[in-house]
Amino acid sequence: MNAIRKYFNNVKPQFEDGGKLHAFRSLFEGFESFLFVPNDTAKSGVSIHDSIDSKRIMSMVVLALLPALFFGMYNVGYQNYLAAGTLESASFCEIFCYGFLVVLPKLLVSYIVGLGIEFAWAQWKGEEIQEGYLVSGIIIPLIIPVGCPLWMLALACAFAVIFAKEIFGGTGMNIFNVAVAARMFLFFSYPSKMTGESIWIADESIFGLGNTLPDGFTAATPLGQIGQGMDVTASLSDMILGFIPGSIGETSVVAIALGGLFLLLTGIASWKTMLSVFVGGGLMACLFEQTGATPIHWYEHLVLGGFCFGAVFMATDPVTSARTETGKYYYGFIIGAMAVIIRVMNPGYPEGMMLAIFFGNMFAPLIDHFVVERNINKRLKRGGTK
């Protein structure tokens, strides 16, 4: 690492003003910031006196996403071998490697397109490259059906980075979650590829792994089965463990819970937002179950689809969620309740969670405004000021 640091110090003058490569200064600073930890911290004044920064926060979130990512890879292979009828004869390595080879191109496309646009944008504006897309780049492939074509994923990433992030000013300025924007773009632009979140099973073997299945073979997710008026075939244990068809990173409640626990222990995510999402969704699901409007139990709504993933990794986004502590309760409750309402009332869109987060992002500033105004009025009353 010292050799790399020395090399960067030697070539740095070429990227500064007057250097031969000064036009790529933003690109150089971005890579330098990504590889090395700044040693300078504030010692006085109102600045935070530690070395925490956005890079460390994003790195923590990426680590928290790894359990869902790895299980998603395994589940892709699991569903393939299960559909082919050869699951019992397949080894763990064969199952995981198959899913790894299916998911890896999606991760590469997401990062290449998204980071490429961010690098170009920063260079054009003469600004520093931010680390925000480190998280969005891994979340986007995890919340789309595995059968989504790569060109479609590239379009969604480009749209999300440009119109949901950079146009608002970049990391920390966007009002909508970048990954949610990508999902919304795909749903409204290519609904046939997104409706019901049917998982794609390969129509050809990958490097000799897997089994050839009929072209376009799909397996409806439990929420997709509900939307089509079918009975849910998955057991509660499979719903929790994640051995069901669905988007790559959203099926396993256990894997998501491990990531959520890590975020809570490190103080990255807000437990108030997480808890209120589940409370709002649970209460609304209970209401629909009592009225007979939903064919599944209330707790099944909380473990199916992207509910858990959205509550843990997306509703808690510190940039697009409510900032006030009291507002986080209202914000999370609205998202959870709205997700179930959309699922039950609109069979054409059985998922609901991502659209609920999208609307939650929209109203987060308004929620904070009312909370702040209420606090101001309370203080004025305590002080006897009219």
Side-chain angles (χ1 to χ4, degrees):
M1 207 62 184
N2 291 332
I4 299 177
R5 175 74 271 182
K6 183 177 180 180
Y7 174 77
F8 268 76
N9 290 336
N10 291 335
V11 301
K12 188 173 183 177
Q14 300 183 30
F15 291 91
E16 295 177 345
D17 293 339
K20 296 180 179 179
L21 303 175
H22 70 278
F24 301 98
R25 180 178 179 178
S26 298
L27 185 62
F28 175 82
E29 291 179 347
F31 277 113
E32 183 182 33
S33 177
F34 178 78
L35 291 174
F36 301 102
V37 178
N39 294 320
D40 298 330
T41 59
K43 303 299 182 183
S44 61
V46 297
S47 300
I48 298 176
H49 299 164
D50 61 27
S51 58
I52 191 68
D53 58 10
S54 60
K55 181 174 68 174
R56 290 167 183 78
I57 294 176
M58 297 305 168
S59 299
M60 291 291 186
V61 179
V62 170
L63 290 175
L65 285 163
L66 292 182
L69 171 63
F70 291 145
F71 182 86
M73 291 177 175
Y74 179 83
N75 190 46
V76 169
Y78 178 90
Q79 296 297 327
N80 174 78
Y81 282 96
L82 179 64
T86 58
L87 180 62
E88 294 182 356
S89 61
S91 66
F92 174 86
C93 291
E94 289 177 326
I95 295 174
F96 182 82
C97 288
Y98 183 92
F100 174 81
L101 293 174
V102 171
V103 176
L104 181 60
K106 301 182 185 302
L107 289 172
L108 293 176
V109 168
S110 176
Y111 276 115
I112 290 173
V113 173
L115 290 179
I117 293 175
E118 289 212 346
F119 286 160
W121 194 284
Q123 190 61 47
W124 174 48
K125 300 289 289 186
E127 301 172 347
E128 293 184 1
I129 298 173
Q130 303 297 325
E131 297 87 2
Y133 197 78
L134 289 177
V135 173
S136 300
I138 192 173
I139 288 182
I140 292 175
L142 294 182
I143 62 174
I144 63 172
V146 70
C148 179
L150 295 181
W151 66 267
M152 197 179 296
L153 175 61
L155 284 179
C157 293
F159 173 86
V161 172
I162 295 174
F163 293 101
K165 183 179 180 181
E166 298 299 346
I167 202 170
F168 288 99
T171 300
M173 304 297 291
N174 50 297
I175 63 174
F176 296 109
N177 185 283
V178 176
V180 171
R183 172 67 175 261
M184 292 297 98
F185 172 83
L186 288 173
F187 179 78
F188 290 111
S189 300
Y190 308 98
S192 62
K193 294 289 186 180
M194 304 294 292
T195 302
E197 294 188 286
S198 295
I199 190 168
W200 167 80
I201 306 297
D203 59 357
E204 60 182 18
S205 62
I206 299 180
F207 295 102
L209 299 173
N211 295 273
T212 301
L213 295 173
D215 291 350
F217 184 87
T218 60
T221 65
L223 289 177
Q225 292 175 336
I226 295 174
Q228 298 170 19
M230 304 165 57
D231 293 332
V232 177
T233 58
S235 65
L236 180 61
S237 61
D238 284 340
M239 295 177 188
I240 295 175
L241 294 176
F243 295 104
I244 56 176
S247 295
I248 298 169
E250 296 179 349
T251 61
S252 177
V253 177
V254 175
I256 295 170
L258 290 175
L261 181 62
F262 179 79
L263 292 179
L264 293 176
L265 292 176
T266 55
I268 302 299
S270 169
W271 66 266
K272 297 178 181 178
T273 301
M274 286 190 196
L275 177 62
S276 55
V277 171
F278 285 102
V279 171
L283 291 177
M284 188 57 62
C286 283
L287 177 61
F288 280 125
E289 183 181 5
Q290 293 300 317
T291 59
T294 177
I296 60 176
H297 297 294
W298 66 270
Y299 50 82
E300 292 178 318
H301 275 287
L302 305 185
V303 298
L304 287 177
F307 195 95
C308 286
F309 190 92
V312 172
F313 295 111
M314 305 181 75
T316 56
D317 176 14
V319 175
T320 58
S321 66
R323 309 291 181 89
T324 58
E325 294 303 310
T326 302
K328 292 176 181 178
Y329 289 115
Y330 296 106
Y331 170 79
F333 187 91
I334 290 173
I335 289 178
M338 187 176 295
V340 177
I341 291 174
I342 295 173
R343 286 181 177 182
V344 176
M345 303 301 292
N346 183 11
Y349 188 50
E351 166 49 43
M353 189 59 179
M354 299 304 158
L355 187 58
I357 295 175
F358 185 83
F359 282 112
N361 293 164
M362 186 184 303
F363 289 105
L366 185 62
I367 293 173
D368 284 337
H369 170 75
F370 283 126
V371 171
V372 171
E373 288 298 316
R374 182 186 178 188
N375 292 339
I376 292 175
N377 291 333
K378 283 185 175 181
R379 292 180 181 180
L380 291 176
K381 289 180 180 179
R382 287 199 299 265
T385 305
K386 295 183 179 180

